[in-house]
Amino acid sequence: EADSEYERYLIVDRADAFVVAFLTAAMRAGEDIISEAPVTKRLLYQLNTQLIPMLAANTKRYHKMKIQAESIEEELTCEGAVGLGWTGGVDCFYSFKRYSEMQEPSMKITHLVVLNIGTFEGKNLENTLSIFVNRAWNMAKEHGIKAMGINSNIHLIVNENYLSVGAFRIPSAILAFQKLFGLFLHSSSYEYWRFALKEENSGFYEMFVFDCLETDCTRFYSSMGD
């Protein structure tokens, strides 16, 4: 879910967001995902030949499986917005400062994005999301950019520890809005040199996951990994 002004950016002709959102659950069960809707050709290839085999061969939690779907190669029209995942934490402010100083126009932040994809805890999650989005709006207004909230009920459907799957869920939400975002930045908690396939915390290997989940339309960067 997102505000109605973003309706025109929602992807309705391919299952990219859903395949990625349910990937970790399917790999834990060792069951194929069979999608009647097509998946972007580049993404489907990267999942089946890179991400899935690597995780299956090097972790105990994830097992070999396959995404069974037709591929779609038709290129999407993208506005080229640059989103920064926003919680209001120090890491986000650092990323904001760093990318706001970029001289390259295609790297300049246009949207602060608050994601509820199992991130928040408690009973009144919609109210929590609203509070975070309002805070993001205040920050965005000061700098002449936009703030956006994306809400998902995936945490009610698939019971997974967020830290272990965050690197998958963040891109899954953004892939639903590929027509908007050309680039999405996530403030990494760990430097690249600490890369490790720690099953309990996907943040340690998110740079690899992000690379595998890119499409011709949308890219993902860990903004503080260096």
Side-chain angles (χ1 to χ4, degrees):
E1 297 178 346
D3 287 343
S4 58
E5 67 176 288
Y6 296 105
E7 180 180 0
R8 67 185 184 275
Y9 299 114
L10 270 171
I11 303 302
V12 297
D13 68 336
R14 59 197 72 190
D16 296 5
F18 297 94
V19 164
V20 173
F22 289 103
L23 180 64
T24 50
M27 288 199 71
R28 288 202 324 271
E31 297 286 348
D32 287 359
I33 292 178
I34 302 172
S35 175
E36 294 182 2
V39 175
T40 295
K41 184 177 181 179
R42 176 178 171 182
L43 177 64
L44 186 63
Y45 176 81
Q46 290 165 174
L47 288 173
N48 281 332
T49 67
Q50 298 177 42
L51 184 56
I52 292 171
M54 190 276 283
L55 291 176
N58 294 282
T59 66
K60 293 181 179 180
R61 173 178 295 177
Y62 297 125
H63 308 291
K64 191 174 182 180
M65 45 78 70
K66 187 176 182 180
I67 311 296
Q68 297 186 40
E70 291 185 11
S71 64
I72 181 170
E73 198 168 6
E74 182 181 350
E75 190 172 340
L76 294 166
T77 300
C78 179
E79 188 167 289
V82 179
L84 171 64
W86 191 258
T87 62
V90 174
D91 53 349
C92 296
F93 276 97
Y94 177 83
S95 292
F96 182 82
K97 181 179 185 299
R98 180 176 184 178
Y99 279 85
S100 294
E101 295 172 351
M102 288 279 187
Q103 298 301 312
E104 173 58 47
S106 64
M107 303 287 283
K108 293 251 183 184
I109 295 167
T110 62
H111 292 71
L112 302 182
V113 186
V114 179
L115 298 168
N116 179 25
I117 44 179
T119 320
F120 304 129
E121 297 180 350
K123 295 181 179 180
N124 197 349
L125 295 180
E126 288 189 9
N127 184 55
T128 302
L129 178 64
S130 178
I131 291 171
F132 274 79
V133 172
N134 286 335
R135 290 174 181 171
W137 264 115
N138 292 333
M139 174 72 176
K141 189 175 180 181
E142 288 182 30
H143 297 274
I145 58 176
K146 295 184 176 182
M148 176 186 185
I150 300 177
N151 188 38
S152 170
N153 66 345
I154 187 172
H155 56 285
L156 301 177
I157 300 171
V158 182
N159 183 20
E160 296 176 294
N161 176 271
Y162 179 76
L163 277 179
S164 68
V165 298
F168 301 84
R169 287 199 182 174
I170 291 167
S172 74
I174 300 304
L175 287 172
F177 294 91
Q178 290 180 65
K179 291 181 181 179
L180 174 61
F181 295 111
L183 174 63
F184 185 80
L185 308 167
H186 172 66
S187 300
S188 177
S189 300
Y190 308 100
E191 300 90 344
Y192 294 145
W193 64 266
R194 298 179 68 183
F195 179 92
L197 289 174
K198 295 190 177 184
E199 297 177 18
E200 70 280 4
N201 191 337
S202 59
F204 281 97
Y205 61 95
E206 68 184 15
M207 67 289 292
F208 178 78
V209 177
F210 287 176
D211 189 57
C212 290
L213 299 184
E214 287 187 350
T215 65
D216 294 328
C217 189
T218 304
R219 296 169 293 147
F220 299 99
Y221 286 162
S222 294
S223 65
M224 293 170 56
D226 55 349

